[in-house]
Amino acid sequence: MGSKEKIFILGSGAVGFPLAAYLTNAGRTVVAVRTSRKDVPRNTVTVTVLNGATRISAPIEAISLSKLTNLNGTIVIATKAYANKAIALELKDKAATGPVVIMQNGVGVEKPFLEARFSSIYRCILYVTSQAASEYDFTFRPITSSPIGIVNGNESALKQCVEDLSTDGFPFRAEANIQREIWKKAIINSAFNSICPLLDVDNGIFARDEETANLARQLVREGVTLTDRLDMGLRETELMEQIMLISKGSNQLISTLQDIRSGRPTEIDFLNLEMARVADSMHPRLHLPRIELLGKIILAKSLQQRRRGP
């Protein structure tokens, strides 16, 4: 490891805890920071990760963000994107230093950190599947190396972030064109995070059922009309190949479906609905009827479940 600084992982869930376990076992100094709970004193928890036939476990130092006074080190944001505004303000109030690596999918999730004027901001697009069996026990699989790119910063700092965060079990890579990766994954997620929750099925459905894969293809086709306007150079075949690769290799519940079942807010506002807003703001305006409609249905289903309770 090139850097000896601590790595603070904000968001102790299906991404944050497996990342913390792999980093700890690789000799990195890690703190798992709880953002949704303010009552967690500094303590140690044992996190277990099952990846295929390989199981690892690691002792992880955990604490609430409200109880941290010094955040001098790499800060990984692995929370839900709707929490970003509050987190960015709290980190600013605590005079947090070091690079911020936003480990979330979606469009525009970095905006609160830009508005808070953090000088080093990097985006990571996740290509993993992960599901919690219990609070500290996870089934996890990397599909490919997850790209990290520059929002604010420089190439040498990006290289250091990738080196500090990457392990064999949870690999990362530097990406020069991170905006293309952001939009690529947003289109992919517009299918997974709307169709799977609405059908109440796991993410292997597209590999199992041709008609459902055709629904995904219709969303991808709409998404490409948007990214063509943004000159991203994305193609329907490339995106469908990625969807099928993910679907064939995994039978896990999409995070949006897990959130709906648990009565939590979803991140659909940063996927289908944000894509629709971007399209609507263009001149001339672009309409994404399927992407927008499925996003609105997911939002309505989520609100209904939250009123009802998990």
Side-chain angles (χ1 to χ4, degrees):
M1 179 178 174
S3 170
K4 298 300 181 185
E5 289 187 332
K6 282 186 177 180
I7 299 172
F8 297 92
I9 301 176
L10 277 64
S12 304
V15 172
F17 266 142
L19 177 63
Y22 281 115
L23 289 172
T24 297
N25 280 355
R28 323 286 164 88
T29 304
V30 179
V31 179
V33 183
R34 301 296 192 108
T35 57
S36 59
R37 290 175 53 187
K38 298 183 181 298
D39 61 341
V40 179
R42 193 179 295 272
N43 68 107
T44 300
V45 299
T46 299
V47 173
T48 301
V49 181
L50 177 64
N51 180 358
T54 304
R55 183 184 295 273
I56 69 161
S57 63
I60 308 297
E61 180 184 349
I63 191 172
S64 287
L65 178 58
S66 60
K67 296 184 180 295
L68 268 179
T69 56
N70 180 7
L71 282 93
N72 182 20
T74 300
I75 300 169
V76 173
I77 309 297
T79 58
K80 297 293 185 179
Y82 51 76
N84 283 3
K85 186 172 183 179
I87 288 171
L89 291 175
E90 188 162 0
L91 290 176
K92 199 68 176 178
D93 288 344
K94 292 177 179 292
T97 61
V100 174
V101 182
I102 304 169
M103 208 165 281
Q104 298 165 338
N105 298 317
V107 176
V109 299
E110 68 274 13
K111 185 178 178 182
F113 299 93
L114 288 167
E115 291 174 343
R117 299 184 181 279
F118 283 90
S119 59
S120 297
I121 306 172
Y122 302 89
R123 276 292 308 267
C124 173
I125 300 303
L126 292 165
Y127 283 103
V128 303
T129 61
S130 187
Q131 187 173 332
S134 64
E135 186 175 8
Y136 303 119
D137 192 7
F138 302 88
T139 301
F140 175 88
R141 186 178 72 90
I143 296 158
T144 185
S145 296
S146 294
I148 302 177
I150 299 170
V151 176
N152 268 350
N154 57 65
E155 289 186 11
S156 63
L158 169 61
K159 183 180 178 182
Q160 187 66 62
C161 281
V162 171
E163 181 182 337
D164 290 351
L165 294 174
S166 198
T167 61
D168 290 341
F170 199 153
F172 298 92
R173 62 177 177 82
E175 171 56 52
N177 190 355
I178 195 62
Q179 287 300 319
R180 186 181 191 275
E181 292 292 327
I182 288 169
W183 280 101
K184 176 181 177 181
K185 191 66 188 302
I187 294 173
I188 290 169
N189 281 5
S190 75
F192 276 112
N193 290 60
S194 62
I195 294 173
C196 293
L198 291 176
L199 296 179
D200 200 36
V201 294
D202 63 80
N203 61 358
I205 186 64
F206 301 116
R208 297 193 302 266
D209 185 76
E210 185 177 351
E211 287 303 314
T212 309
N214 285 334
L215 291 176
R217 187 172 286 104
Q218 292 178 47
L219 296 189
V220 166
R221 196 166 293 152
E222 271 191 5
V224 170
T225 66
L226 171 58
T227 55
D228 280 350
R229 289 271 196 100
L230 298 170
D231 197 27
M232 292 293 165
L234 292 170
R235 295 291 175 264
E236 179 185 328
T237 52
E238 172 190 5
L239 295 166
M240 283 305 302
E241 284 172 3
Q242 190 70 52
I243 286 174
M244 298 309 291
L245 175 65
I246 295 169
S247 191
K248 287 175 182 176
S250 181
N251 294 289
Q252 294 188 342
L253 298 183
I254 287 294
S255 60
T256 298
L257 178 53
Q258 296 179 50
D259 290 337
I260 289 171
R261 287 183 175 182
S262 300
R264 298 187 297 261
T266 75
E267 294 180 293
I268 202 69
D269 201 48
F270 300 93
L271 296 169
N272 298 52
L273 298 181
E274 181 63 17
M275 292 168 67
R277 282 190 288 268
V278 171
D280 190 60
S281 70
M282 291 181 161
H283 302 283
R285 290 170 61 183
L286 180 64
H287 187 38
L288 307 179
R290 295 173 181 83
I291 286 174
E292 183 174 13
L293 177 60
L294 292 191
K296 287 180 175 178
I297 295 173
I298 287 292
L299 182 60
K301 184 172 183 176
S302 171
L303 291 172
Q304 182 185 50
Q305 183 63 42
R306 287 162 63 192
R307 293 190 192 103
R308 190 182 298 152

